[in-house]
């Protein structure tokens, strides 16, 4: 998918995670606002409190580690900043919880910013059939591809 205008979300459907060992979503985005964030939602569940992540963040010599109750995958500081998004190991664990690992490398006024998070949803599901990325501003030309390792 390639955005032809500014977008606030992109949704992938028409697949079933049971057909894959693992799914991976890659993206290259340019922001349209300061403090641009990105979230991931599974199977239409857009209740932020149904997600957790462990976040490791490095930028400008600052290192952060935190546990957050949200579906965040990225935070890009500067308007017009570029970022590469790599979300892999998207799957359902043995307890029925969706899980993923996200790595985002983006621009910031203090240099390169790197976020790595390990996320999960708390709503039990049998398989993943839709993935939505939501943001407060990705520019035209931002592009994404969903791929999987077929069983």
């Amino acid at each position: 998918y390639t955005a032809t205008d500014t977008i606030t979300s992109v949704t992938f459907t028409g697949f079933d995670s049971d057909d894959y060992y693992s799914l991976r979503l890659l993206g290259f985005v340019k922001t349209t606002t300061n403090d641009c964030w990105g979230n991931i939602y599974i199977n239409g569940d857009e209740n932020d409190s149904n997600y957790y992540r462990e976040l490791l963040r490095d930028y400008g010599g600052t290192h952060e580690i935190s546990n957050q109750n949200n579906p965040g995958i990225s935070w890009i500081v500067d308007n017009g900043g570029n970022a590469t998004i790599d979300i892999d190991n998207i799957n359902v664990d043995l307890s029925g919880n969706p899980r993923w690992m996200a790595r985002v490398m983006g621009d910031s006024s203090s240099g390169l910013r790197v976020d790595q998070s390990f996320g999960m949803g708390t709503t039990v599901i049998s398989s993943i059939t839709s993935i939505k990325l939501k943001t407060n501003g990705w520019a035209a030309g931002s592009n994404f591809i969903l791929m999987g390792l077929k069983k």
Side-chain angles (χ1 to χ4, degrees):
Y1 170 82
T2 299
T4 57
D5 204 348
T6 297
I7 60 171
T8 56
S9 69
V10 58
T11 302
F12 296 88
T13 59
F15 65 92
D16 188 324
S17 64
D18 285 345
D19 297 333
Y20 299 88
Y21 290 108
S22 186
L23 296 167
R24 184 174 194 180
L25 200 158
L26 300 174
F28 181 78
V29 300
K30 187 171 190 74
T31 64
T32 61
T33 184
N34 288 323
D35 294 326
C36 185
W37 51 264
N39 290 345
I40 185 170
Y41 298 101
I42 304 296
N43 291 358
D45 181 358
E46 293 188 43
N47 183 344
D48 287 359
S49 65
N50 288 344
Y51 297 90
Y52 286 91
R53 70 174 176 157
E54 290 291 330
L55 173 66
L56 310 167
R57 176 177 285 150
D58 292 302
Y59 61 98
T62 300
H63 312 287
E64 296 176 20
I65 300 173
S66 63
N67 177 294
Q68 300 177 355
N69 185 199
N70 65 54
I73 55 164
S74 69
W75 178 45
I76 306 159
V77 176
D78 299 333
N79 186 5
N82 295 293
T84 302
I85 298 172
D86 182 359
I87 308 169
D88 64 3
N89 293 322
I90 304 168
N91 54 42
V92 179
D93 68 19
L94 297 175
S95 297
N97 298 103
R99 293 185 180 258
W100 60 88
M101 296 187 315
R103 289 174 300 284
V104 178
M105 295 163 285
D107 302 335
S108 78
S109 53
S110 57
L112 184 65
R113 179 184 194 95
V114 179
D115 286 3
Q116 180 164 293
S117 59
F118 304 88
M120 71 172 283
T122 59
T123 302
V124 174
I125 59 175
S126 59
S127 68
I128 298 171
T129 56
S130 73
I131 298 172
K132 181 177 187 175
L133 299 182
K134 196 171 179 181
T135 181
N136 61 336
W138 288 330
S142 297
N143 57 71
F144 306 87
I145 184 169
L146 178 66
M147 59 188 119
L149 180 60
K150 195 94 163 143
K151 288 184 179 176

